[in-house]
């Protein structure tokens, strides 16, 4: 009998990169995103053009175009294809756009700058909650609109868009800014903006492979969250907090591309199911005989290899 719950070996597997960059205004989020995107292209798709495989979704009145072509830190910022996303910032429209970009335009790298628009921008989730709270009035539940099915669905959709099995995702977030007083080189007390937290729902950090915070003045990077070993490697560099470069994008892409591919994992699962079916036949299963008689075929390895995975899985369930 096949397992009711399918277990598999715990091995390092390949995935698409999911990285977040957040900072106060002017700290270089767009520059960082463009460099990471270029690094991914150079590391994984060196024969392809970044503009052909990349999409930059700009929610900030095409401000990203001001960065393209500039040299920053000795590196030229190359363009992706652009989609200027105008308000209202409807999360369903963003989901449709990402799906279209991946499945119809075959984009492999997607940047969203700034993703915060879909949270706190015009007709973003926070506005949706406020409007729904007014409609609920005295009928509010314990948590008001936050507990309504529509809002929960939008929050979950927003989180799901932060990762993809089919494209590398780079998300830029505005940071909630606070000012502190520091003494500058001339001994004067001056205000300094610091990005405390991404302008987004509180648990977004769990969705990403890496979360990077940028300093407004130096553009230095702080690795806030990392689950692929990026922080350990950067810690061995001469300046671990140095601004992001194209090499960082290449390193991030390399880290998620190590191990088994999704195709190899799928092939392993397929072969395991085929082995189960053939083993059932060797043990003269009556269900195998009934299936062969009904379909007027003989179950062989060659026959099973012609079937789609779902058909093989359906046959396994029947034999169970």
């Amino acid at each position: 009998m096949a397992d009711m719950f399918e277990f598999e070996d715990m091995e390092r597997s390949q995935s698409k990169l999911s990285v977040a960059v957040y900072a106060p205004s002017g700290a270089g989020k767009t520059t960082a995103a463009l460099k990471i995107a270029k690094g991914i292209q150079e590391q994984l798709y060196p024969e392809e053009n970044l503009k052909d495989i990349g999409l930059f979704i700009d929610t900030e009145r095409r401000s990203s175009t001001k960065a393209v072509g500039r040299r920053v830190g000795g590196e030229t910022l190359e363009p992706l294809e652009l989609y200027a996303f105008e308000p209202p910032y409807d999360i369903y429209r963003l989901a449709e756009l990402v799906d279209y970009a991946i499945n119809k335009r075959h984009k492999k790298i997607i940047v969203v700058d700034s993703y915060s628009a879909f949270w706190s921008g015009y007709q973003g989730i926070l506005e949706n909650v406020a409007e729904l709270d007014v409609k609920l009035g005295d009928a509010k539940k314990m948590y008001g609109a936050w507990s309504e099915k529509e809002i929960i669905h939008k929050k979950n959709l927003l989180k799901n868009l932060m990762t993809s099995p089919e494209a590398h995702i780079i998300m830029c977030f505005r940071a909630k800014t606070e000012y502190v007083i520091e003494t500058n080189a001339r001994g004067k007390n001056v205000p300094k903006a610091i990005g405390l937290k991404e302008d987004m729902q509180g648990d977004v950090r769990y969705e990403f492979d890496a979360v990077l915070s940028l300093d407004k003045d130096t553009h230095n990077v702080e690795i806030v969250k990392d689950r692929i070993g990026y922080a350990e490697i950067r810690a061995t560099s001469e300046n671990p907090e140095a601004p992001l470069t194209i090499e960082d994008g290449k390193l991030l892409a390399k880290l998620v591309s190590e191990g088994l591919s999704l195709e190899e994992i799928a092939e392993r699962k397929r072969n395991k199911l085929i082995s189960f079916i053939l083993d059932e036949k060797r043990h003269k299963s009556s269900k195998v005989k009934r299936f062969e008689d009904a379909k007027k075929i003989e179950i062989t390895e060659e026959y099973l290899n012609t079937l789609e995975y779902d058909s093989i899985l359906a046959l396994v369930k029947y034999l169970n």
Side-chain angles (χ1 to χ4, degrees):
M1 177 177 289
D3 292 335
M4 178 179 179
F5 300 100
E6 189 176 351
F7 296 167
E8 58 186 83
D9 293 335
M10 189 175 179
E11 299 180 74
R12 190 177 183 95
S13 58
Q14 298 175 17
S15 66
K16 294 296 189 289
L17 179 66
S18 175
V19 61
V21 179
Y22 77 92
S25 175
K29 296 185 293 296
T30 301
T31 296
L34 289 170
K35 289 192 174 187
I36 293 171
K38 179 59 179 173
I40 295 170
Q41 176 264 316
E42 287 190 1
Q43 178 68 29
L44 301 179
Y45 314 105
E47 302 303 318
E48 301 187 70
N49 187 286
L50 179 58
K51 188 175 179 181
D52 294 334
I53 63 172
L55 176 67
F56 198 106
I57 301 173
D58 185 330
T59 68
E60 303 193 341
R61 299 177 296 282
R62 301 173 183 267
S63 64
S64 59
T65 61
K66 297 179 176 66
V68 171
R70 289 172 50 212
R71 283 187 64 78
V72 180
E75 297 175 323
T76 301
L77 304 179
E78 294 189 15
L80 292 72
E81 199 164 12
L82 177 72
Y83 182 86
F85 201 114
E86 302 293 341
Y89 297 111
D90 178 9
I91 188 62
Y92 294 126
R93 191 157 64 97
L94 177 63
E96 290 176 3
L97 171 59
V98 171
D99 180 72
Y100 174 80
I102 293 172
N103 295 305
K104 300 297 183 183
R105 297 293 296 274
H106 311 295
K107 297 299 184 183
K108 299 173 182 177
I109 304 168
I110 296 177
V111 178
V112 182
D113 183 12
S114 153
Y115 207 56
S116 299
F118 301 94
W119 177 251
S120 58
Y122 176 63
Q123 287 301 303
I125 289 179
L126 292 185
E127 275 202 13
N128 295 162
V129 168
E131 291 169 358
L132 189 51
D133 266 336
V134 171
K135 289 180 181 178
L136 288 172
D138 294 336
K140 285 183 182 179
K141 298 178 182 177
M142 183 180 296
Y143 297 106
W146 289 109
S147 61
E148 292 296 302
K149 183 177 180 180
E150 175 73 5
I151 299 300
I152 292 172
H153 178 67
K154 285 188 174 184
K155 285 178 62 182
N156 288 336
L157 179 57
L158 200 57
K159 286 201 296 184
N160 289 342
L161 285 170
M162 295 175 189
T163 60
S164 168
E166 301 169 289
H168 304 279
I169 304 292
I170 304 165
M171 298 291 184
C172 297
F173 297 91
R174 298 169 185 162
K176 295 176 181 177
T177 306
E178 182 174 287
Y179 287 87
V180 296
I181 301 299
E182 289 190 351
T183 303
N184 66 15
R186 291 178 291 178
K188 291 186 177 182
N189 291 332
V190 294
K192 174 182 172 64
I194 56 173
L196 294 177
K197 189 175 181 295
E198 63 274 11
D199 182 15
M200 193 58 197
Q201 63 194 83
D203 56 352
V204 294
R205 296 183 185 186
Y206 297 108
E207 309 302 321
F208 293 100
D209 296 318
V211 179
L212 313 176
S213 174
L214 307 181
D215 181 83
K216 179 177 174 61
D217 296 327
T218 64
H219 309 301
N220 282 354
V221 61
E222 177 188 357
I223 302 173
V224 178
K225 180 263 177 84
D226 164 49
R227 62 182 174 204
I228 55 177
Y230 173 58
E232 296 164 15
I233 295 174
R234 215 173 199 270
T236 64
S237 65
E238 186 175 333
N239 184 0
E241 296 182 351
L244 291 166
T245 67
I246 292 172
E247 287 300 316
D248 285 287
K250 292 170 71 172
L251 174 58
L252 287 163
K254 181 177 183 294
L255 289 170
V256 296
S257 63
E258 295 173 341
L260 294 171
S261 69
L262 294 178
E263 291 76 17
E264 289 173 316
I265 294 171
E267 189 63 22
R268 284 189 177 190
K269 290 182 178 180
R270 179 188 178 89
N271 290 338
K272 187 175 180 181
L273 295 178
I274 288 175
S275 295
F276 167 76
I277 296 169
L278 294 175
D279 190 56
E280 287 291 290
K281 182 174 180 178
R282 279 192 294 271
H283 287 84
K284 302 188 183 304
S285 164
S286 60
K287 285 188 176 182
V288 171
K289 186 69 171 71
R290 286 200 297 272
F291 181 88
E292 289 180 321
D293 292 342
K295 300 291 184 180
K296 294 183 171 51
I297 54 93
E298 180 183 359
I299 291 180
T300 64
E301 185 172 355
E302 291 73 18
Y303 166 73
L304 292 172
N305 280 325
T306 66
L307 301 180
E308 297 291 334
Y309 178 84
D310 288 346
S311 298
I312 296 172
L313 183 59
L315 178 53
V316 168
K317 290 179 178 179
Y318 168 73
L319 297 179
N320 271 333

